[in-house]
Amino acid sequence: MTQRPKTKLSATQHATSKLRESILSGDILPGARLVQEQLAETLGLSRVPVREALRILEAEGLVTHIRSAGYSVSKMDAQTLHRIQRMRRLLETDALLQAFELGALGSDLAAQLSLHLGDLRALSPDNAAQMASRIRSFHFCIFDSCDDPILLRFLRNLWDATDSWRTIYYRTVFAMDAVQRERVFARYELLINQISQVKLKETITMLDELREEGFLSAEQAVQALKEDNQRQAQLMLRALES
């Protein structure tokens, strides 16, 4: 049973953290309704901190509120996904250009990335949330070298907006397809080699390709999951009607 936090502030923080984690991990799917009473019972809290947590998550863009329908996890259609992809491309390319100008690309950064890749290879693919977190850390090991806190803040917000989609992909595709995993890891090795040799143009191109492939895979995984949920619902309805 969840232990009730001692103060109102800690209760709100607890609720916000738990809900954010569930949304970003894909445990709660885009479009799912968030009923305050149910959440409060699950978290062992009153409705007040849950309501405040939902407002915080709404400000972050993870939750949507409609007066007649209440709160739900923010949906993201293909058009929005591709818009975020274009913004990520601009910011990530700028981060690489700044890192290059600072002299941050090279063997030292490549060595750090190799450690991240080693951790990824050792990680169980069944742990989708941890896999998503480690892959994000791999990418931000590159971006952080630009030393531009404003750019990095916006970039992290863009990644946050699509974390749940990536986790669904890791859970439904990446975890089950060893060939796909090795293909991605091999491309990471090539990326590390390009960074080690300070090949800026090739590094930008590789990140563009990885980003495009990642978004397409996430789209397909989410669509497949939605279709499977619809089939399950139809089967359940038929069983009830028979």
Side-chain angles (χ1 to χ4, degrees):
M1 182 177 179
T2 303
Q3 184 177 1
R4 184 185 298 272
K6 296 180 180 179
T7 68
K8 178 181 177 182
L9 179 61
S10 66
T12 299
Q13 291 174 333
H14 174 75
T16 304
S17 176
K18 287 295 184 181
L19 289 173
R20 184 189 293 114
E21 180 182 346
S22 295
I23 293 170
L24 294 180
S25 69
D27 289 335
I28 305 178
L29 294 176
R33 288 192 63 213
L34 299 169
V35 181
Q36 294 182 43
E37 294 84 354
Q38 293 177 356
L39 293 174
E41 182 178 354
T42 299
L43 296 172
L45 301 171
S46 69
R47 287 182 58 186
V48 174
V50 170
R51 183 170 62 247
E52 293 175 351
L54 290 171
R55 288 172 177 168
I56 292 171
L57 296 173
E58 182 185 11
E60 294 178 3
L62 294 177
V63 164
T64 301
H65 181 258
I66 300 175
R67 181 169 297 181
S68 60
Y71 287 96
S72 62
V73 178
S74 297
K75 293 181 180 180
M76 192 169 297
D77 56 24
Q79 184 178 8
T80 304
L81 278 171
H82 285 291
R83 190 177 299 123
I84 290 176
Q85 180 186 16
R86 289 195 296 271
M87 289 188 287
R88 270 188 54 195
R89 183 178 187 277
L90 292 172
L91 293 183
E92 290 175 5
T93 299
D94 191 31
L96 279 170
L97 290 171
Q98 291 191 52
F100 175 76
E101 292 170 359
L102 290 171
L105 303 184
S107 58
D108 289 345
L109 179 57
Q112 295 177 44
L113 291 169
S114 292
L115 292 175
H116 280 283
L117 182 56
D119 289 341
L120 275 169
R121 286 188 176 277
L123 189 65
S124 169
D126 295 330
N127 193 332
Q130 194 171 7
M131 180 68 70
S133 176
R134 293 285 181 85
I135 288 180
R136 175 173 174 144
S137 295
F138 176 91
H139 284 268
F140 273 90
C141 182
I142 302 171
F143 306 142
D144 285 342
S145 62
C146 77
D147 198 26
D148 185 336
I150 296 176
L151 184 154
L152 289 168
R153 183 171 70 247
F154 283 113
L155 189 52
R156 285 190 169 87
N157 288 341
L158 293 176
W159 276 69
D160 286 346
T162 52
D163 263 351
S164 60
W165 291 68
R166 276 190 298 275
T167 304
I168 291 170
Y169 158 67
Y170 294 133
R171 180 179 297 162
T172 60
V173 178
F174 206 73
M176 302 178 184
D177 190 341
V179 174
Q180 170 74 354
R181 286 198 303 276
E182 284 305 314
R183 181 175 180 275
V184 172
F185 292 153
R187 290 169 75 79
Y188 281 168
E189 288 179 349
L190 179 57
L191 177 65
I192 291 170
N193 185 58
Q194 291 166 345
I195 289 174
S196 178
Q197 298 181 49
V198 197
K199 294 182 176 180
L200 178 63
K201 182 179 179 181
E202 290 83 352
T203 299
I204 291 174
T205 299
M206 176 62 73
L207 282 176
D208 286 345
E209 293 175 357
L210 286 167
R211 188 186 311 108
E212 180 66 23
E213 291 173 6
F215 266 86
L216 290 174
S217 297
E219 266 189 282
Q220 293 168 2
V222 170
Q223 183 59 36
L225 187 59
K226 287 181 178 178
E227 291 173 355
D228 184 61
N229 287 343
Q230 290 173 353
R231 285 194 295 270
Q232 293 296 332
Q234 290 171 355
L235 289 172
M236 185 177 295
L237 181 60
R238 290 171 186 168
L240 292 172
E241 292 174 343
S242 63

